[in-house]
Amino acid sequence: EPEVTQTPSHQVTQMGQEVILRCVPISNHLYFYWYRQILGQKVEFLVSFYNNEISEKSEIFDDQFSVERPDGSNFTLKIRSTKLEDSAMYFCASSENGGKNSPLHFGNGTRLTVT
Amino acid sequence: SQKIEQNSEALNIQEGKTATLTCNYTNYSPAYLQWYRQDPGRGPVFLLLIRENEKEKRKERLKVTFDTTLKQSLFHITASQPADSATYLCAPLGFGNEKLTFGTGTRLTIIP
């Protein structure tokens, strides 16, 4: 069964550095998402992406964050000037039909540790 | 503001019994509601989707109900097994809305 893959599985970075988290969504899916889960807390929406542009973003997704689909397969989340509080699991997801009546398929996440 | 509440952070159920998890929402009029399972250190996995005009949906040992009057969804696992132990997340979704917002989740433990 096709799946969403994320790399790396674990990323350690120093405060102030930039990181890029990578995702390969399921190939025929049109909607892409990033979610974040701080340890022990709920899964929080960051951003949705459709037709090569951001369709919705949360308050968390400020100027520090950006997303890109540089080619036909990858979907990336860039975090500039990382802060300690950015430490979390970051999940990428994709869906065929925007989640309205089709499920989101999640990757297994990248654990980001900012020291 | 919109709020999603799931019953008690943790629920312990004896193996073989039915586990019932609750999802209450306020300031929402969802057209759909989805349930996911999350194991530690893994991404959520889709289980079931129910539409506002459906009262009940079943899949194997799973059953979901959706009461738009009570603003509540119930998630049942019958003949529960230790392998059902996980955190279960509900996510209501409105028309024209693409983003899925999750509840806090209920951590279910099935005791052998």
Side-chain angles (χ1 to χ4, degrees):
Chain A
E1 183 172 322
E3 57 182 28
V4 174
T5 55
Q6 289 186 244
T7 55
S9 57
H10 193 183
Q11 173 91 48
V12 181
T13 190
Q14 286 192 323
M15 199 166 52
Q17 296 296 304
E18 175 183 286
V19 294
I20 297 176
L21 310 184
R22 300 177 193 282
C23 170
V24 179
I26 294 172
S27 62
N28 65 331
H29 285 186
L30 301 177
Y31 292 80
F32 312 110
Y33 308 81
W34 284 100
Y35 282 79
R36 175 181 89 173
Q37 187 172 33
I38 294 170
L39 187 64
Q41 296 187 24
K42 68 177 188 175
V43 178
E44 299 176 289
F45 171 80
L46 290 178
V47 66
S48 58
F49 191 86
Y50 170 71
N51 203 23
N52 277 324
E53 59 184 29
I54 290 173
S55 47
E56 197 164 354
K57 61 183 180 180
S58 72
E59 293 167 355
I60 304 167
F61 195 89
D62 59 21
D63 292 342
Q64 186 195 3
F65 295 89
S66 62
V67 289
E68 197 177 33
R69 190 155 158 81
D71 53 42
S73 59
N74 291 287
F75 181 50
T76 62
L77 174 70
K78 183 189 289 185
I79 310 175
R80 285 179 279 276
S81 190
T82 49
K83 301 178 276 206
L84 293 176
E85 53 265 38
D86 294 328
S87 295
M89 280 288 278
Y90 288 81
F91 293 108
C92 172
S94 67
S95 77
E96 277 187 88
N97 192 23
K100 298 177 189 69
N101 58 1
S102 65
L104 268 60
H105 295 256
F106 285 82
N108 279 323
T110 292
R111 179 173 299 284
L112 176 66
T113 303
V114 183
T115 62
Chain B
S1 62
Q2 295 177 331
K3 206 170 170 185
I4 306 163
E5 287 180 331
Q6 294 191 241
N7 65 318
S8 64
E9 283 189 18
L11 187 64
N12 297 327
I13 299 290
Q14 206 69 39
E15 183 177 2
K17 302 288 187 190
T18 295
T20 298
L21 285 64
T22 306
C23 174
N24 293 298
Y25 54 90
T26 51
N27 297 322
Y28 263 106
S29 295
Y32 308 88
L33 194 141
Q34 301 186 17
W35 283 88
Y36 288 75
R37 167 187 174 136
Q38 187 179 27
D39 291 286
R42 314 279 284 188
V45 174
F46 171 77
L47 296 174
L48 280 168
L49 178 152
I50 187 164
R51 295 175 175 78
E52 63 170 351
N53 60 351
E54 296 175 316
K55 289 274 191 284
E56 184 180 295
K57 199 83 170 276
R58 289 176 187 260
K59 179 181 172 185
E60 297 171 355
R61 294 183 296 110
L62 309 180
K63 184 177 89 170
V64 171
T65 62
F66 192 11
D67 189 326
T68 55
T69 304
L70 289 179
K71 295 186 181 296
Q72 182 182 79
S73 175
L74 298 178
F75 179 83
H76 307 271
I77 306 175
T78 57
S80 57
Q81 303 166 1
D84 296 325
S85 299
T87 296
Y88 290 84
L89 312 173
C90 75
L93 190 67
F95 279 116
N97 200 331
E98 295 154 12
K99 109 186 169 191
L100 217 57
T101 301
F102 288 98
T104 48
T106 298
R107 190 170 67 249
L108 175 68
T109 302
I110 305 300
I111 303 164

